[in-house]
Amino acid sequence: MVVNADDFGFTRDVNEGIVHCHRQGILTATTLMANGDAFEHAIQLARETPTLDVGCHLVLVGGCSLLSAQRFPESVSELVRSLASGKVKPYEELRAQVERILDANIKPLHLDTHKHTHLLPSVLEAVGRISQNYKIPWVRRPFDLPPAGDVSLQRRIVGNLIEFFRKRRFDLTLKRYHCRSTEHFSGFSLTGYLNTARLQFLIEHLPAGTTELMVHPAFLGPELVGARTRLKRSRLVELEALTDPKVREAVDTQGVTLSGYRDI
């Protein structure tokens, strides 16, 4: 299982929470926002923590473009309109983000996108090209395992609809660009709801094979409190779950191997 934290570089309290969960808990990997306000702080922490597997968290929603300094759309629906009108050119925008990470001497092996925007066909094409051109082989395949525990019916339905409509086309695109992905993924329906009990349940019911678990831990500091995100208190709950001795015990009891992408 790759336990992969999104949003490295978002704020300093997010960065510190991610590194804490790696050093004191089960977190093995993270993906870095090249346009994040705390990008330089994240780079410093990454250099101090060489065992943390750092990839690219590609952003087309929220935050500013590295090419124009203009703000990206604030929602996925606004992004769809901007893509259709040509206002956002995904390959050029995402390439600039990857190159900023490479320029910081980070050698990423995995890619994912903020708000899962690579479920959109034009963004997926851009991510596939980047994977191929920059030799970054692993791409998140965000089709959820059955939800862990008492997740709301609405989130179950949304996750199932995403899988039904996107999965085949998504897989064909990854295959065309020779991208790799884990066999299973979990985290979409758990975003904002992951706690110790649900994490234990997930670990106890993991299927055979490789699984990516997407998480969003952080300390609840002033930068996160003031940031544009709905995930605030829930990030601290995730941090506590990822470092809970009961979760580590479940990993050991179930014989789960924790891994970064570089080790698969």
Side-chain angles (χ1 to χ4, degrees):
M1 182 169 69
V2 178
V3 184
N4 188 23
D6 287 4
D7 299 344
F8 199 43
F10 184 51
T11 68
R12 286 179 292 180
D13 27 25
V14 168
N15 296 346
E16 289 163 359
I18 288 170
V19 170
H20 174 75
C21 289
H22 175 64
R23 292 173 176 166
Q24 305 296 328
I26 67 166
L27 191 145
T28 60
T30 188
T31 43
L32 175 59
M33 305 174 84
N35 71 336
D37 290 341
F39 175 81
E40 296 295 345
H41 180 250
I43 293 297
Q44 176 187 337
L45 290 179
R47 290 171 180 160
E48 295 171 359
T49 317
T51 54
L52 179 62
D53 187 340
V54 180
C56 304
H57 193 56
L58 302 171
V59 179
L60 292 173
V61 173
C64 292
S65 164
L66 297 182
L67 297 179
S68 67
Q70 299 296 313
R71 283 198 67 82
F72 285 129
E74 294 297 329
S75 68
V76 174
S77 60
E78 290 176 36
L79 174 63
V80 170
R81 292 192 290 271
S82 295
L83 291 169
S85 66
K87 290 181 180 178
V88 173
K89 300 184 184 302
Y91 182 76
E92 289 79 1
E93 293 288 355
L94 301 183
R95 178 178 62 183
Q97 294 176 27
V98 170
E99 289 185 350
R100 188 181 189 200
I101 291 170
L102 290 170
D103 288 345
N105 204 31
I106 298 293
K107 308 299 183 187
L109 291 178
H110 51 111
L111 303 167
D112 56 48
T113 58
H114 192 50
K115 306 291 186 184
H116 303 306
T117 55
H118 65 305
L119 289 169
L120 302 173
S122 62
V123 179
L124 181 59
E125 286 289 330
V127 171
R129 287 176 62 194
I130 285 169
S131 172
Q132 187 173 75
N133 294 344
Y134 288 90
K135 296 180 173 55
I136 306 173
W138 292 90
V139 175
R140 174 179 289 167
R141 187 173 175 272
F143 302 107
D144 242 354
L145 288 170
D150 56 337
V151 175
S152 72
L153 177 61
Q154 179 182 2
R155 295 185 74 83
R156 291 171 188 260
I157 291 171
V158 170
N160 289 338
L161 286 174
I162 287 174
E163 181 164 359
F164 179 78
F165 285 111
R166 302 289 189 189
K167 190 173 184 179
R168 186 170 185 276
R169 181 171 184 172
F170 190 98
D171 287 347
L172 288 173
T173 302
L174 290 191
K175 183 176 180 180
R176 179 155 45 87
Y177 285 106
H178 308 288
C179 303
R180 300 181 69 186
S181 59
T182 57
E183 295 163 87
H184 311 288
F185 171 82
S186 183
F188 175 81
S189 62
L190 290 170
T191 299
Y193 300 93
L194 185 64
N195 58 24
T196 295
R198 290 182 179 128
L199 184 51
Q200 285 180 283
F201 183 93
L202 173 67
I203 291 167
E204 290 165 0
H205 293 83
L206 278 179
T210 55
T211 299
E212 177 191 357
L213 170 61
M214 174 186 70
V215 295
H216 299 83
F219 290 109
L220 190 58
E223 290 183 16
L224 179 56
V225 169
R228 294 188 182 190
T229 176
R230 69 179 179 84
L231 302 177
K232 295 185 179 181
R233 172 69 186 173
S234 67
R235 293 181 189 259
L236 180 59
V237 174
E238 290 197 21
L239 180 148
E240 292 167 347
L242 291 164
T243 57
D244 193 313
K246 293 191 292 263
V247 168
R248 171 64 73 173
E249 182 180 353
V251 167
D252 294 339
T253 300
Q254 297 299 319
V256 174
T257 300
L258 298 174
S259 176
Y261 286 97
R262 70 186 81 171
D263 303 317
I264 301 178

